[in-house]
Amino acid sequence: MIYRNNQDYITAFVEGYICAIIGERMTTAKVSEAELDNAKHLAEKCVEFRIEHSDFSEEEKEAMKKDYKLWAESALQGMKKRLRKSGRLL
């Protein structure tokens, strides 16, 4: 049986592992703007789902949604800029 703390550790490990793989591929791979836009859209949907199914109040949920959308757009533009400069943006 897995207890709640163990589930948190496992989730954090898996998320960290996935981020490490993505980070490694991002340092060497070429990617298109459309692929980045799709990745951002999918990430937004995942975060939105987690917020909607959280125990926060509706007011807190709305604030979180606004914050993550601003962060996602800022992160996306930063990635595109760096990839463009390095010649890896298709």
Side-chain angles (χ1 to χ4, degrees):
M1 179 172 176
I2 297 178
Y3 296 100
R4 178 73 179 142
N5 283 342
N6 288 342
Q7 287 178 339
D8 291 342
Y9 291 131
I10 292 168
T11 300
F13 174 79
V14 171
E15 288 174 353
Y17 180 75
I18 291 168
C19 288
I21 290 171
I22 292 169
E24 179 184 14
R25 290 186 181 157
M26 289 294 291
T27 60
T28 59
K30 291 191 178 204
V31 64
S32 71
E33 288 194 49
E35 289 171 317
L36 289 175
D37 291 338
N38 288 338
K40 176 191 161 222
H41 179 70
L42 179 60
E44 284 179 335
K45 290 295 178 189
C46 290
V47 171
E48 192 173 298
F49 179 83
R50 291 182 92 173
I51 290 171
E52 283 299 321
H53 292 86
S54 69
D55 293 330
F56 293 105
S57 70
E58 290 304 314
E59 184 177 290
E60 291 171 315
K61 288 178 183 181
E62 288 304 314
M64 292 170 111
K65 286 179 189 177
K66 181 181 176 188
D67 288 344
Y68 91 81
K69 286 184 179 184
L70 291 173
W71 172 85
E73 185 59 32
S74 176
L76 176 67
Q77 294 308 316
M79 278 192 244
K80 285 181 178 181
K81 182 179 178 180
R82 295 188 94 186
L83 289 167
R84 196 174 288 116
K85 281 184 179 181
S86 68
R88 292 180 295 157
L89 186 64
L90 301 175

